[in-house]
Amino acid sequence: MENVIRIQICNVPVDSLTMDQTVDLIDKSIQRKESLHHVVVNAAKLVNAQRDPELRDSIVDCDIINADGQSIVWAARFLKQHLPERVAGIDLMENLVALAHKKKYKVFFLGAKQEVVAKVVAIYKEKYGENIIAGFRNGYFGKEDELDIAQQIRDSNADMLFVAISSPKKEIFLNKYKSEMKVPFIMGVGGSFDVVSGKIKRAPLWMQEICLEWFFRTMQEPGRMWKRYLTTNIAFVKILFQERMKLMRKSS
């Protein structure tokens, strides 16, 4: 994107953008019917990108890369870089659905269980009316189904696509099929459908601000989440200190 400062955090690019700037760029891109691929980066994704070249490539190929977690904003400061604020994926999605209502854009929702994505669509229909919905589908499918799904999304004439599938599957799917789908704006939103539907509660704002969303999520699903967050958080801190040491050696 023109005139956007892109920094590097542990060899992963992140754009120095506010929420308002991000929404404005997306809106202008949709108006021009341009293709814009968006991704958010959190600590876990940054760690996984170090050892998964396909995931890293799918991030680098995106047009806008936002800092999803407060940990990424803090990491930038620790590495003498600047990010103005976090642009959480779920907050951006909510703002863009509101924008779709205002500008008469159409949205396709892909991901989560059938009952979850159907509830998300029902909630947005009640709030904004049926006209914003281009279509929806659950996120349980195999590789043999991917092309058919991409063509279904293309045929919906959606202006925005939100994909709520776990990483790295959603990043790789979007990067692989974005030319086929021909949607002006595409974005992976992780577990956002679960939050919007009410299946999962979001951490209070004070926990978000001090980088404890991961702890709140772990308390809701300890059996599934504790190991993931423990290993990625430790790896994230280790990688940051390694990068800081490199900076200190360069400046000495």
Side-chain angles (χ1 to χ4, degrees):
M1 301 294 292
E2 293 182 5
N3 303 318
V4 175
I5 297 173
R6 177 164 285 187
I7 68 170
Q8 293 282 330
I9 302 178
C10 305
N11 202 33
V12 174
V14 185
D15 292 322
S16 184
L17 290 167
T18 65
M19 175 67 76
D20 289 344
Q21 289 170 333
T22 302
V23 172
D24 185 59
L25 286 171
I26 293 165
D27 186 23
K28 289 177 179 176
S29 181
I30 294 173
Q31 289 178 36
R32 293 191 292 258
K33 295 296 182 181
E34 296 174 347
S35 176
L36 195 154
H37 185 180
H38 176 279
V39 70
V40 290
V41 178
N42 56 23
K45 194 176 294 183
L46 187 146
V47 168
N48 291 330
Q50 307 301 310
R51 52 197 179 212
D52 186 339
E54 192 173 12
L55 173 60
R56 186 182 181 278
D57 288 346
S58 71
I59 295 170
V60 172
D61 285 344
C62 288
D63 303 293
I64 296 180
I65 307 169
N66 281 135
D68 182 46
Q70 186 63 33
S71 61
I72 300 298
V73 178
W74 288 357
R77 294 172 187 167
F78 186 67
L79 298 176
K80 309 298 183 183
Q81 304 266 23
H82 174 69
L83 292 173
E85 63 183 17
R86 71 179 294 211
V87 182
I90 185 170
D91 294 330
L92 179 58
M93 184 182 79
E94 295 267 49
N95 286 337
L96 290 174
V97 173
L99 179 72
H101 170 64
K102 180 180 178 181
K103 296 293 186 73
K104 295 182 170 55
Y105 299 146
K106 288 190 172 293
V107 186
F108 196 104
F109 298 89
L110 172 65
K113 294 181 178 179
Q114 182 64 25
E115 61 268 24
V116 172
V117 66
K119 187 169 183 181
V120 169
V121 169
I123 288 169
Y124 285 140
K125 278 184 178 180
E126 183 177 354
K127 188 172 183 179
Y128 298 115
E130 294 187 3
N131 290 336
I132 69 162
I133 306 300
F136 67 96
R137 192 200 187 282
N138 68 65
Y140 290 82
F141 54 86
K143 287 186 177 294
E144 67 278 6
D145 304 311
E146 290 181 349
L147 181 58
D148 286 342
I149 293 169
Q151 291 171 342
Q152 177 190 351
I153 294 167
R154 179 198 63 199
D155 294 342
S156 75
N157 294 315
D159 299 294
M160 300 181 187
L161 167 65
F162 298 112
V163 180
I165 301 172
S166 60
S167 292
K169 184 177 179 180
K170 67 176 178 293
E171 287 84 7
I172 294 170
F173 172 84
L174 287 171
N175 200 41
K176 184 176 180 180
Y177 291 103
K178 57 187 175 184
S179 296
E180 177 70 32
M181 294 185 293
K182 301 185 185 304
V183 180
F185 175 75
I186 58 176
M187 173 186 178
V189 293
S192 295
F193 291 3
D194 287 338
V195 177
V196 173
S197 70
K199 180 183 177 183
I200 296 292
K201 291 183 179 179
R202 193 176 182 192
L205 185 59
W206 69 268
M207 294 188 81
Q208 296 177 41
E209 291 175 344
I210 61 172
C211 203
L212 283 178
E213 278 185 290
W214 65 272
F215 181 75
F216 188 86
R217 181 70 187 277
T218 301
M219 292 301 98
Q220 293 184 76
E221 297 182 279
R224 190 168 76 91
M225 305 302 293
W226 75 268
K227 187 175 181 179
R228 179 194 303 182
Y229 282 125
L230 178 65
T231 55
T232 55
N233 286 353
I234 291 173
F236 181 60
V237 172
K238 181 180 178 181
I239 292 168
L240 285 182
F241 272 97
Q242 289 172 342
E243 289 298 307
R244 181 62 181 261
M245 293 300 294
K246 289 179 184 177
L247 284 176
M248 292 174 66
R249 286 195 292 269
K250 285 181 180 179
S251 61
S252 62

PDB file of all heavy atoms in Angstrom, residues 31 34 54 61 80 91 106 130 138 140 158 162-163 208 211 219 235 249:
ATOM      1  N   GLN A  31     -14.193   0.580  -3.064  1.00  0.00           N
ATOM      2  CA  GLN A  31     -14.808   1.513  -4.007  1.00  0.00           C
ATOM      3  C   GLN A  31     -14.158   1.415  -5.388  1.00  0.00           C
ATOM      4  O   GLN A  31     -14.839   1.525  -6.415  1.00  0.00           O
ATOM      5  CB  GLN A  31     -14.692   2.946  -3.480  1.00  0.00           C
ATOM      6  CG  GLN A  31     -15.568   3.255  -2.274  1.00  0.00           C
ATOM      7  CD  GLN A  31     -15.372   4.672  -1.775  1.00  0.00           C
ATOM      8  OE1 GLN A  31     -15.172   5.589  -2.555  1.00  0.00           O
ATOM      9  NE2 GLN A  31     -15.415   4.858  -0.459  1.00  0.00           N
ATOM     10  N   GLU A  34     -10.593  -2.832  -6.259  1.00  0.00           N
ATOM     11  CA  GLU A  34      -9.256  -3.406  -6.241  1.00  0.00           C
ATOM     12  C   GLU A  34      -9.234  -4.617  -5.309  1.00  0.00           C
ATOM     13  O   GLU A  34     -10.097  -4.783  -4.457  1.00  0.00           O
ATOM     14  CB  GLU A  34      -8.243  -2.362  -5.765  1.00  0.00           C
ATOM     15  CG  GLU A  34      -8.119  -1.166  -6.697  1.00  0.00           C
ATOM     16  CD  GLU A  34      -7.228  -0.078  -6.146  1.00  0.00           C
ATOM     17  OE1 GLU A  34      -6.887  -0.126  -4.952  1.00  0.00           O
ATOM     18  OE2 GLU A  34      -6.893   0.833  -6.923  1.00  0.00           O
ATOM     19  N   GLU A  54       5.551 -21.423   4.514  1.00  0.00           N
ATOM     20  CA  GLU A  54       4.308 -21.195   3.777  1.00  0.00           C
ATOM     21  C   GLU A  54       3.426 -20.186   4.500  1.00  0.00           C
ATOM     22  O   GLU A  54       2.819 -19.315   3.858  1.00  0.00           O
ATOM     23  CB  GLU A  54       3.550 -22.510   3.581  1.00  0.00           C
ATOM     24  CG  GLU A  54       2.406 -22.393   2.587  1.00  0.00           C
ATOM     25  CD  GLU A  54       1.757 -23.723   2.269  1.00  0.00           C
ATOM     26  OE1 GLU A  54       2.032 -24.714   2.974  1.00  0.00           O
ATOM     27  OE2 GLU A  54       0.966 -23.776   1.312  1.00  0.00           O
ATOM     28  N   ASP A  61       2.707 -11.756   1.601  1.00  0.00           N
ATOM     29  CA  ASP A  61       1.980 -11.467   0.365  1.00  0.00           C
ATOM     30  C   ASP A  61       0.737 -10.597   0.585  1.00  0.00           C
ATOM     31  O   ASP A  61       0.099 -10.181  -0.392  1.00  0.00           O
ATOM     32  CB  ASP A  61       1.553 -12.772  -0.315  1.00  0.00           C
ATOM     33  CG  ASP A  61       2.713 -13.482  -0.994  1.00  0.00           C
ATOM     34  OD1 ASP A  61       3.762 -12.836  -1.195  1.00  0.00           O
ATOM     35  OD2 ASP A  61       2.574 -14.676  -1.314  1.00  0.00           O
ATOM     36  N   LYS A  80      12.677  -1.060  19.255  1.00  0.00           N
ATOM     37  CA  LYS A  80      12.929   0.308  18.776  1.00  0.00           C
ATOM     38  C   LYS A  80      12.178   0.632  17.479  1.00  0.00           C
ATOM     39  O   LYS A  80      12.666   1.353  16.611  1.00  0.00           O
ATOM     40  CB  LYS A  80      14.433   0.533  18.568  1.00  0.00           C
ATOM     41  CG  LYS A  80      15.300   0.153  19.752  1.00  0.00           C
ATOM     42  CD  LYS A  80      14.989   0.969  20.994  1.00  0.00           C
ATOM     43  CE  LYS A  80      15.929   0.625  22.137  1.00  0.00           C
ATOM     44  NZ  LYS A  80      15.594   1.363  23.384  1.00  0.00           N
ATOM     45  N   ASP A  91     -12.293  -6.410  16.191  1.00  0.00           N
ATOM     46  CA  ASP A  91     -12.756  -5.019  16.171  1.00  0.00           C
ATOM     47  C   ASP A  91     -12.820  -4.493  14.742  1.00  0.00           C
ATOM     48  O   ASP A  91     -13.763  -3.776  14.368  1.00  0.00           O
ATOM     49  CB  ASP A  91     -11.827  -4.134  17.009  1.00  0.00           C
ATOM     50  CG  ASP A  91     -11.872  -4.488  18.482  1.00  0.00           C
ATOM     51  OD1 ASP A  91     -12.930  -4.945  18.953  1.00  0.00           O
ATOM     52  OD2 ASP A  91     -10.844  -4.310  19.161  1.00  0.00           O
ATOM     53  N   LYS A 106     -21.599  -5.993   0.302  1.00  0.00           N
ATOM     54  CA  LYS A 106     -22.081  -7.322   0.663  1.00  0.00           C
ATOM     55  C   LYS A 106     -20.937  -8.147   1.247  1.00  0.00           C
ATOM     56  O   LYS A 106     -19.797  -8.059   0.788  1.00  0.00           O
ATOM     57  CB  LYS A 106     -22.689  -8.027  -0.550  1.00  0.00           C
ATOM     58  CG  LYS A 106     -24.043  -7.436  -0.971  1.00  0.00           C
ATOM     59  CD  LYS A 106     -24.730  -8.299  -2.002  1.00  0.00           C
ATOM     60  CE  LYS A 106     -26.147  -7.808  -2.275  1.00  0.00           C
ATOM     61  NZ  LYS A 106     -27.036  -7.981  -1.116  1.00  0.00           N
ATOM     62  N   GLU A 130     -30.883  -7.739   5.893  1.00  0.00           N
ATOM     63  CA  GLU A 130     -30.449  -8.877   5.091  1.00  0.00           C
ATOM     64  C   GLU A 130     -29.542  -8.493   3.922  1.00  0.00           C
ATOM     65  O   GLU A 130     -28.800  -9.339   3.405  1.00  0.00           O
ATOM     66  CB  GLU A 130     -31.671  -9.624   4.552  1.00  0.00           C
ATOM     67  CG  GLU A 130     -32.513 -10.290   5.627  1.00  0.00           C
ATOM     68  CD  GLU A 130     -33.599 -11.160   5.032  1.00  0.00           C
ATOM     69  OE1 GLU A 130     -33.637 -11.284   3.790  1.00  0.00           O
ATOM     70  OE2 GLU A 130     -34.391 -11.723   5.809  1.00  0.00           O
ATOM     71  N   ASN A 138     -19.864 -23.004   6.676  1.00  0.00           N
ATOM     72  CA  ASN A 138     -19.022 -23.408   7.799  1.00  0.00           C
ATOM     73  C   ASN A 138     -17.591 -23.677   7.337  1.00  0.00           C
ATOM     74  O   ASN A 138     -17.315 -23.768   6.144  1.00  0.00           O
ATOM     75  CB  ASN A 138     -19.621 -24.631   8.512  1.00  0.00           C
ATOM     76  CG  ASN A 138     -19.576 -25.883   7.651  1.00  0.00           C
ATOM     77  OD1 ASN A 138     -18.521 -26.396   7.303  1.00  0.00           O
ATOM     78  ND2 ASN A 138     -20.757 -26.391   7.300  1.00  0.00           N
ATOM     79  N   TYR A 140     -15.657 -26.361   7.904  1.00  0.00           N
ATOM     80  CA  TYR A 140     -15.232 -27.761   7.938  1.00  0.00           C
ATOM     81  C   TYR A 140     -15.259 -28.343   6.529  1.00  0.00           C
ATOM     82  O   TYR A 140     -16.318 -28.696   6.004  1.00  0.00           O
ATOM     83  CB  TYR A 140     -16.123 -28.548   8.896  1.00  0.00           C
ATOM     84  CG  TYR A 140     -15.875 -28.150  10.334  1.00  0.00           C
ATOM     85  CD1 TYR A 140     -16.475 -27.015  10.876  1.00  0.00           C
ATOM     86  CD2 TYR A 140     -14.993 -28.873  11.131  1.00  0.00           C
ATOM     87  CE1 TYR A 140     -16.216 -26.617  12.186  1.00  0.00           C
ATOM     88  CE2 TYR A 140     -14.729 -28.486  12.441  1.00  0.00           C
ATOM     89  CZ  TYR A 140     -15.342 -27.357  12.949  1.00  0.00           C
ATOM     90  OH  TYR A 140     -15.077 -26.972  14.249  1.00  0.00           O
ATOM     91  N   ALA A 158     -19.584 -10.997  -3.452  1.00  0.00           N
ATOM     92  CA  ALA A 158     -19.286 -10.326  -2.187  1.00  0.00           C
ATOM     93  C   ALA A 158     -18.246  -9.228  -2.381  1.00  0.00           C
ATOM     94  O   ALA A 158     -17.354  -9.327  -3.240  1.00  0.00           O
ATOM     95  CB  ALA A 158     -18.785 -11.334  -1.162  1.00  0.00           C
ATOM     96  N   PHE A 162     -14.869 -12.652   5.199  1.00  0.00           N
ATOM     97  CA  PHE A 162     -14.249 -12.909   6.492  1.00  0.00           C
ATOM     98  C   PHE A 162     -14.144 -14.411   6.689  1.00  0.00           C
ATOM     99  O   PHE A 162     -15.137 -15.131   6.565  1.00  0.00           O
ATOM    100  CB  PHE A 162     -15.068 -12.288   7.627  1.00  0.00           C
ATOM    101  CG  PHE A 162     -15.167 -10.790   7.543  1.00  0.00           C
ATOM    102  CD1 PHE A 162     -16.382 -10.174   7.256  1.00  0.00           C
ATOM    103  CD2 PHE A 162     -14.061  -9.987   7.730  1.00  0.00           C
ATOM    104  CE1 PHE A 162     -16.484  -8.799   7.170  1.00  0.00           C
ATOM    105  CE2 PHE A 162     -14.143  -8.605   7.644  1.00  0.00           C
ATOM    106  CZ  PHE A 162     -15.363  -8.011   7.354  1.00  0.00           C
ATOM    107  N   VAL A 163     -12.938 -14.880   7.017  1.00  0.00           N
ATOM    108  CA  VAL A 163     -12.676 -16.312   7.142  1.00  0.00           C
ATOM    109  C   VAL A 163     -12.253 -16.632   8.580  1.00  0.00           C
ATOM    110  O   VAL A 163     -11.181 -16.215   9.025  1.00  0.00           O
ATOM    111  CB  VAL A 163     -11.591 -16.769   6.150  1.00  0.00           C
ATOM    112  CG1 VAL A 163     -11.338 -18.266   6.302  1.00  0.00           C
ATOM    113  CG2 VAL A 163     -12.030 -16.459   4.720  1.00  0.00           C
ATOM    114  N   GLN A 208      -7.273  -6.877  27.924  1.00  0.00           N
ATOM    115  CA  GLN A 208      -6.748  -6.668  26.580  1.00  0.00           C
ATOM    116  C   GLN A 208      -5.577  -5.684  26.611  1.00  0.00           C
ATOM    117  O   GLN A 208      -4.570  -5.885  25.938  1.00  0.00           O
ATOM    118  CB  GLN A 208      -7.841  -6.119  25.666  1.00  0.00           C
ATOM    119  CG  GLN A 208      -9.021  -7.058  25.438  1.00  0.00           C
ATOM    120  CD  GLN A 208     -10.083  -6.407  24.585  1.00  0.00           C
ATOM    121  OE1 GLN A 208      -9.788  -5.718  23.616  1.00  0.00           O
ATOM    122  NE2 GLN A 208     -11.344  -6.613  24.936  1.00  0.00           N
ATOM    123  N   CYS A 211      -2.316  -7.151  27.894  1.00  0.00           N
ATOM    124  CA  CYS A 211      -1.840  -8.328  27.169  1.00  0.00           C
ATOM    125  C   CYS A 211      -2.170  -9.645  27.879  1.00  0.00           C
ATOM    126  O   CYS A 211      -1.363 -10.567  27.908  1.00  0.00           O
ATOM    127  CB  CYS A 211      -0.327  -8.211  26.955  1.00  0.00           C
ATOM    128  SG  CYS A 211       0.274  -9.176  25.568  1.00  0.00           S
ATOM    129  N   MET A 219      -8.607 -19.730  30.347  1.00  0.00           N
ATOM    130  CA  MET A 219      -9.519 -20.059  31.442  1.00  0.00           C
ATOM    131  C   MET A 219     -10.848 -20.612  30.925  1.00  0.00           C
ATOM    132  O   MET A 219     -11.506 -21.407  31.603  1.00  0.00           O
ATOM    133  CB  MET A 219      -9.780 -18.816  32.307  1.00  0.00           C
ATOM    134  CG  MET A 219      -8.582 -18.334  33.108  1.00  0.00           C
ATOM    135  SD  MET A 219      -7.934 -19.594  34.266  1.00  0.00           S
ATOM    136  CE  MET A 219      -6.562 -20.287  33.319  1.00  0.00           C
ATOM    137  N   ALA A 235       8.218 -18.986  23.492  1.00  0.00           N
ATOM    138  CA  ALA A 235       8.986 -18.835  22.250  1.00  0.00           C
ATOM    139  C   ALA A 235       9.007 -17.380  21.792  1.00  0.00           C
ATOM    140  O   ALA A 235      10.034 -16.894  21.288  1.00  0.00           O
ATOM    141  CB  ALA A 235       8.386 -19.729  21.167  1.00  0.00           C
ATOM    142  N   ARG A 249      24.099  -5.443  19.338  1.00  0.00           N
ATOM    143  CA  ARG A 249      25.406  -5.721  18.720  1.00  0.00           C
ATOM    144  C   ARG A 249      25.655  -4.797  17.526  1.00  0.00           C
ATOM    145  O   ARG A 249      26.797  -4.352  17.302  1.00  0.00           O
ATOM    146  CB  ARG A 249      25.484  -7.196  18.288  1.00  0.00           C
ATOM    147  CG  ARG A 249      25.669  -8.174  19.455  1.00  0.00           C
ATOM    148  CD  ARG A 249      26.106  -9.525  18.951  1.00  0.00           C
ATOM    149  NE  ARG A 249      25.061 -10.186  18.183  1.00  0.00           N
ATOM    150  CZ  ARG A 249      24.165 -11.003  18.702  1.00  0.00           C
ATOM    151  NH1 ARG A 249      24.160 -11.258  20.010  1.00  0.00           N
ATOM    152  NH2 ARG A 249      23.261 -11.585  17.937  1.00  0.00           N
TER     153      ARG A 249
END
